[in-house]
Structures are given as C-alpha cells and as structure tokens.
Short mmCIF file of all heavy atoms in Angstrom, two decimals:
data_model
loop_
_atom_site.label_atom_id
_atom_site.label_comp_id
_atom_site.label_asym_id
_atom_site.label_seq_id
_atom_site.Cartn_x
_atom_site.Cartn_y
_atom_site.Cartn_z
N ALA D 26 117.33 87.98 41.10
CA ALA D 26 117.60 89.36 41.51
C ALA D 26 117.47 90.39 40.44
O ALA D 26 117.76 91.56 40.65
CB ALA D 26 119.01 89.43 42.13
N ALA D 27 117.06 89.92 39.23
CA ALA D 27 116.88 90.91 38.18
C ALA D 27 115.78 90.40 37.29
O ALA D 27 115.34 89.28 37.35
CB ALA D 27 118.14 90.98 37.32
N GLY D 28 115.18 91.35 36.60
CA GLY D 28 114.06 91.02 35.69
C GLY D 28 112.70 91.35 36.42
O GLY D 28 112.60 91.53 37.61
N SER D 29 111.64 91.19 35.60
CA SER D 29 110.35 91.57 36.16
C SER D 29 109.86 90.56 37.27
O SER D 29 109.08 90.95 38.04
CB SER D 29 109.27 91.61 35.03
OG SER D 29 109.27 90.34 34.40
N ALA D 30 110.44 89.39 37.22
CA ALA D 30 109.95 88.42 38.35
C ALA D 30 110.89 88.45 39.54
O ALA D 30 110.78 87.55 40.40
CB ALA D 30 110.00 87.02 37.73
N SER D 31 111.83 89.39 39.68
CA SER D 31 112.73 89.46 40.74
C SER D 31 111.97 89.75 42.05
O SER D 31 110.91 90.37 42.08
CB SER D 31 113.83 90.51 40.58
OG SER D 31 113.23 91.83 40.50
N SER D 32 112.57 89.37 43.19
CA SER D 32 111.92 89.63 44.48
C SER D 32 112.94 90.53 45.34
O SER D 32 114.16 90.39 45.10
CB SER D 32 111.66 88.30 45.23
OG SER D 32 112.87 87.80 45.63
N PRO D 33 112.36 91.33 46.21
CA PRO D 33 113.24 92.18 47.04
C PRO D 33 114.20 91.30 47.91
O PRO D 33 115.42 91.72 48.04
CB PRO D 33 112.23 92.82 47.95
CG PRO D 33 111.05 92.94 47.19
CD PRO D 33 110.95 91.60 46.49
N GLU D 34 113.85 90.12 48.27
CA GLU D 34 114.65 89.30 49.23
C GLU D 34 115.82 88.76 48.34
O GLU D 34 116.97 88.72 48.78
CB GLU D 34 113.83 88.13 49.72
CG GLU D 34 112.78 88.58 50.83
CD GLU D 34 111.56 89.09 50.06
OE1 GLU D 34 111.29 88.86 48.87
OE2 GLU D 34 110.72 89.80 50.72
N ALA D 35 115.47 88.27 47.15
CA ALA D 35 116.55 87.68 46.25
C ALA D 35 117.50 88.77 45.88
O ALA D 35 118.68 88.55 45.73
CB ALA D 35 115.91 87.00 45.06
N THR D 36 117.03 89.87 45.51
CA THR D 36 117.85 91.06 45.08
C THR D 36 118.84 91.44 46.25
O THR D 36 119.95 91.61 46.06
CB THR D 36 116.96 92.25 44.72
OG1 THR D 36 116.11 91.91 43.62
CG2 THR D 36 117.89 93.38 44.29
N ARG D 37 118.30 91.57 47.42
CA ARG D 37 119.17 91.93 48.56
C ARG D 37 120.28 90.84 48.80
O ARG D 37 121.38 91.23 49.13
CB ARG D 37 118.27 92.18 49.79
CG ARG D 37 119.13 92.65 50.97
CD ARG D 37 119.54 94.12 50.79
NE ARG D 37 120.47 94.54 51.90
CZ ARG D 37 121.73 94.30 51.93
NH1 ARG D 37 122.34 93.68 50.91
NH2 ARG D 37 122.46 94.69 53.01
N ALA D 38 119.85 89.61 48.77
CA ALA D 38 120.79 88.51 49.07
C ALA D 38 121.85 88.45 47.96
O ALA D 38 123.14 88.35 48.34
CB ALA D 38 120.04 87.19 49.10
N ALA D 39 121.48 88.63 46.76
CA ALA D 39 122.48 88.57 45.71
C ALA D 39 123.43 89.78 45.82
O ALA D 39 124.65 89.66 45.58
CB ALA D 39 121.84 88.55 44.32
N GLY D 40 122.81 90.96 46.03
CA GLY D 40 123.52 92.18 46.19
C GLY D 40 124.54 92.08 47.23
O GLY D 40 125.79 92.53 47.14
N GLN D 41 124.21 91.45 48.38
CA GLN D 41 125.12 91.35 49.56
C GLN D 41 126.29 90.45 49.27
O GLN D 41 127.46 90.69 49.64
CB GLN D 41 124.41 90.88 50.77
CG GLN D 41 125.23 90.83 52.01
CD GLN D 41 125.62 92.31 52.40
OE1 GLN D 41 124.75 93.22 52.43
NE2 GLN D 41 126.90 92.56 52.74
N LYS D 42 125.97 89.42 48.53
CA LYS D 42 127.08 88.48 48.07
C LYS D 42 128.12 89.21 47.13
O LYS D 42 129.26 89.07 47.25
CB LYS D 42 126.55 87.19 47.55
CG LYS D 42 127.61 86.09 47.19
CD LYS D 42 127.03 84.76 46.83
CE LYS D 42 128.21 83.76 46.66
NZ LYS D 42 127.69 82.47 46.30
N PHE D 43 127.48 89.96 46.17
CA PHE D 43 128.35 90.57 45.22
C PHE D 43 129.19 91.69 46.04
O PHE D 43 130.38 91.93 45.73
CB PHE D 43 127.51 91.33 44.21
CG PHE D 43 128.32 91.92 42.97
CD1 PHE D 43 128.77 91.03 42.07
CD2 PHE D 43 128.52 93.25 42.91
CE1 PHE D 43 129.56 91.65 40.96
CE2 PHE D 43 129.27 93.80 41.88
CZ PHE D 43 129.81 92.86 40.86
N ARG D 44 128.61 92.34 46.92
CA ARG D 44 129.29 93.39 47.83
C ARG D 44 130.40 92.69 48.62
O ARG D 44 131.47 93.19 48.64
CB ARG D 44 128.28 94.06 48.72
CG ARG D 44 128.89 95.05 49.73
CD ARG D 44 127.88 95.70 50.58
NE ARG D 44 128.39 96.56 51.55
CZ ARG D 44 127.77 97.40 52.39
NH1 ARG D 44 126.45 97.43 52.31
NH2 ARG D 44 128.46 98.16 53.27
N ASP D 45 130.08 91.52 49.26
CA ASP D 45 131.09 90.89 50.12
C ASP D 45 132.26 90.41 49.26
O ASP D 45 133.47 90.43 49.71
CB ASP D 45 130.41 89.75 50.83
CG ASP D 45 129.51 90.26 51.88
OD1 ASP D 45 129.46 91.39 52.19
OD2 ASP D 45 128.70 89.41 52.38
N LEU D 46 132.04 89.78 48.04
CA LEU D 46 133.03 89.13 47.32
C LEU D 46 133.77 90.02 46.42
O LEU D 46 134.95 89.87 46.14
CB LEU D 46 132.43 87.95 46.51
CG LEU D 46 131.88 86.75 47.32
CD1 LEU D 46 131.35 85.69 46.27
CD2 LEU D 46 133.02 86.09 48.11
N ILE D 47 133.16 91.05 45.80
CA ILE D 47 133.65 91.81 44.77
C ILE D 47 133.89 93.31 45.24
O ILE D 47 135.05 93.83 45.28
CB ILE D 47 132.81 91.84 43.59
CG1 ILE D 47 132.47 90.45 43.07
CG2 ILE D 47 133.48 92.63 42.39
CD1 ILE D 47 133.69 89.62 42.60
N LEU D 48 132.80 94.05 45.56
CA LEU D 48 132.91 95.47 45.85
C LEU D 48 133.78 95.81 47.05
O LEU D 48 134.41 96.85 47.10
CB LEU D 48 131.53 96.04 46.06
CG LEU D 48 130.55 96.04 44.75
CD1 LEU D 48 129.21 96.49 45.11
CD2 LEU D 48 131.22 96.79 43.68
N SER D 49 133.62 94.99 48.14
CA SER D 49 134.25 95.37 49.42
C SER D 49 135.74 95.09 49.43
O SER D 49 136.48 95.57 50.26
CB SER D 49 133.58 94.69 50.53
OG SER D 49 133.76 93.31 50.62
#
C-alpha cells in the first residue's frame, strides 16, 4: 500500500483496515 510498487487495490484495502481498526 506504499512505495513505488504499490497498487490502488492494496492501498484501498489497507486503508480501510486502518480506518476500521484505528481511525473510526
């Protein structure tokens, strides 16, 4: 989800998990 080799799908999936567990 980070770095030049990141993908939109991996970024969105990781972000959602961080949102669900931490931010929300």
Side-chain angles (χ1 to χ4, degrees):
S29 55
S31 63
S32 72
E34 296 77 17
T36 300
R37 183 69 186 88
Q41 189 62 46
K42 186 168 185 178
F43 191 79
R44 176 177 176 173
D45 292 344
L46 292 177
I47 308 296
L48 294 175
S49 71

